[in-house]
Amino acid sequence: MDSYKLFYLLLGCTPQGRHTEQHDVFFCIGKTLEAIIPDIQNFWPEADGKIHIDAWREVTAVDDYRIRIEERTHRSVQPELLFFINLGGYLPGSFEEYHHKLITVAGSMGAAVQRAKQTAFYKDYNAAAKAVSHIDNKYGVDVDDVFNVEDILPAYQKERFMLTITKEEGINEDPVGIGYLKLDQLREGLL
């Protein structure tokens, strides 16, 4: 299973009738970015093929934990899980809601939220008491918008694969690719 990878993507498009570019996060398992293009398109059909990638990461190391992809088996409960958190926050006088996306390994959603509260973003983007940094769509941190990454994979992948998370001190987190990457560039092997 070493040839399968977990990809963490920030997707963008301007759907018909919208005035600004929209974004969403997508997690998917595949052998290459090119191989998951159909999954990307299925994830956001309203993009009508005009979708692009703004950031990408192959997830193999998070918070001193090794992340591996394995065929799904029956196993005992894993003590640590991989969570995705989307924080939103505000700056005084700025007509914008800023976002900070993070992935973290924790034993529970509550523990993942506590890690999010320790980020510089959470501490710095509190414009006013009524508009404190929050997990998106909430004022104040609420576990409703924290996701176990395995739960938000495409349905067929949840049935086939599982993430194995093991402590491994001293590993480096994965590099992040950023920039405007059209799916056609992936098809043409330009990445």
Side-chain angles (χ1 to χ4, degrees):
M1 293 305 299
D2 289 333
S3 61
Y4 283 97
K5 304 168 184 174
L6 174 64
F7 290 100
Y8 169 32
L9 308 173
L10 177 64
L11 302 176
C13 77
T14 305
Q16 186 174 2
R18 299 292 176 199
H19 302 290
T20 60
E21 184 176 321
Q22 312 289 296
H23 291 95
D24 205 349
V25 168
F26 180 59
F27 289 88
C28 190
I29 294 171
K31 292 186 177 185
T32 64
L33 275 175
E34 180 182 1
I36 64 171
I37 290 173
D39 294 302
I40 293 169
Q41 292 170 322
N42 288 335
F43 174 70
W44 204 341
E46 301 84 6
D48 194 29
K50 297 175 184 160
I51 196 166
H52 63 273
I53 300 171
D54 283 312
W56 61 95
R57 175 178 171 183
E58 178 186 326
V59 180
T60 65
V62 177
D63 300 335
D64 283 331
Y65 287 87
R66 179 69 61 198
I67 312 298
R68 291 184 177 85
I69 309 302
E70 294 183 8
E71 291 285 343
R72 181 154 298 284
T73 61
H74 297 287
R75 68 171 176 207
S76 58
V77 175
Q78 186 164 283
E80 303 291 344
L81 302 169
L82 181 64
F83 291 95
F84 164 72
I85 302 173
N86 182 26
L87 293 171
Y90 306 91
L91 292 176
S94 178
F95 191 78
E96 184 68 56
E97 178 188 4
Y98 297 92
H99 287 91
H100 177 66
K101 294 154 184 56
L102 65 117
I103 53 177
T104 189
V105 173
S108 67
M109 282 189 179
V113 168
Q114 290 307 311
R115 284 191 180 213
K117 286 182 175 182
Q118 300 308 310
T119 64
F121 181 91
Y122 187 85
K123 295 174 183 177
D124 295 342
Y125 281 74
N126 288 309
K130 291 186 179 180
V132 297
S133 293
H134 60 279
I135 293 177
D136 207 24
N137 297 327
K138 306 286 182 190
Y139 289 114
V141 175
D142 187 339
V143 298
D144 289 344
D145 294 318
V146 178
F147 299 98
N148 175 345
V149 170
E150 280 194 30
D151 291 343
I152 58 175
L153 289 169
Y156 79 95
Q157 291 184 354
K158 287 191 284 191
E159 293 173 6
R160 180 175 175 192
F161 300 110
M162 64 185 191
L163 303 181
T164 299
I165 301 168
T166 53
K167 188 77 171 164
E168 191 174 320
E169 297 290 335
I171 56 176
N172 294 323
E173 294 230 352
D174 312 295
V176 174
I178 56 171
Y180 188 90
L181 179 62
K182 294 181 180 180
L183 299 186
D184 287 344
Q185 291 174 287
L186 287 176
R187 286 187 190 100
E188 297 166 8
L190 299 178
L191 177 64

